[in-house]
Amino acid sequence: MQSPVNAAERLAMIGAMIERARRRFGQPPEKVTLVAVSKTFPAEAIAPFINAGQRVFGENRVQEAKTKWPALRALHPDLELHLIGPLQTNKAREAVALFDVIETVDRDKLAGVLAEEMARGGRRLPVFVQVNIGLEPQKAGIAPQEAVAFVTRCRQVHGLEVAGLMCIPPEDQPPGPYFAQLAMLGGEAGVNQLSMGMSGDFETAIGMGATHVRLGSALFGQRPPLPQGT
Ligand SMILES: *Cc1c(COP(=O)(O)O)cnc(C)c1O
């Protein structure tokens, strides 16, 4: 667990790395948002990062987020919480109530249910379309060749506000070409935000135009192992 001093130091260090990568690759200023991925870490571990100024966080499970974030948000109303894990339609209502951005829209049924729940809750959230950029059977996301048409359907059929694309490239290959492909799809789909890059590859992602990098272990330290089946 990080002490407050460590949280501030980590944020400063990562912020400097993001800025260095941005400059090195000639990306425009103010472009890269750090999404601090706090999954598996308790509220006590997250608080020092909030106190050090971090405002955007990511969680991958609705159930877990529900136990941690309402109390943190009550103290800090300006937080922005992103859902970065797979979403089941039966959790869509809770997700819309709890999160500010849903990064993992990947099928029409989910898009439709989210649109209904946003209308019902009076909360219109920006979403990202998750692309299964490596076409990996175990991963969520729409297939790359269907992504552009799906973005169009999300907008025109479901009425969602699609802010960008999101991906998690295969673990065992250089990520650069996958990031480049996501950027190309984003251009074709007419979205200007790209959520790509994690602790091990965020600088590469920034080079390919990431606007959001999702960092967990680089900020919070190593995660405890997940229970089976999660
Ligand atoms: C856990 C997770 C991350 C953060 O991973 P790190 O390697 O710890 O930075 C980013 N994106 C998604 C979708 C995740 O589930």
Side-chain angles (χ1 to χ4, degrees), residues 21-35:
R22 185 191 69 68
R23 281 168 187 270
R24 174 150 45 92
F25 293 109
Q27 300 289 356
E30 308 284 339
K31 210 186 160 207
V32 184
T33 299
L34 170 61
V35 181

Side-chain angles (χ1 to χ4, degrees), residues 9-25 27 31-37 167-170 173-176 178-180 194-220:
E9 282 175 358
R10 291 257 175 150
L11 283 170
M13 184 187 75
I14 295 294
M17 290 170 80
I18 289 172
E19 179 60 12
R20 209 180 309 133
R22 185 191 69 68
R23 281 168 187 270
R24 174 150 45 92
F25 293 109
Q27 300 289 356
K31 210 186 160 207
V32 184
T33 299
L34 170 61
V35 181
V37 177
C167 78
I168 310 168
Q173 292 167 48
Y178 293 104
F179 294 150
L194 299 170
S195 174
M196 56 189 195
M198 317 201 313
S199 292
D201 56 17
F202 67 96
E203 288 157 304
T204 306
I206 290 168
M208 298 296 171
T211 61
H212 294 71
V213 291
R214 309 178 308 267
L215 270 57
S217 49
L219 290 170
F220 294 97

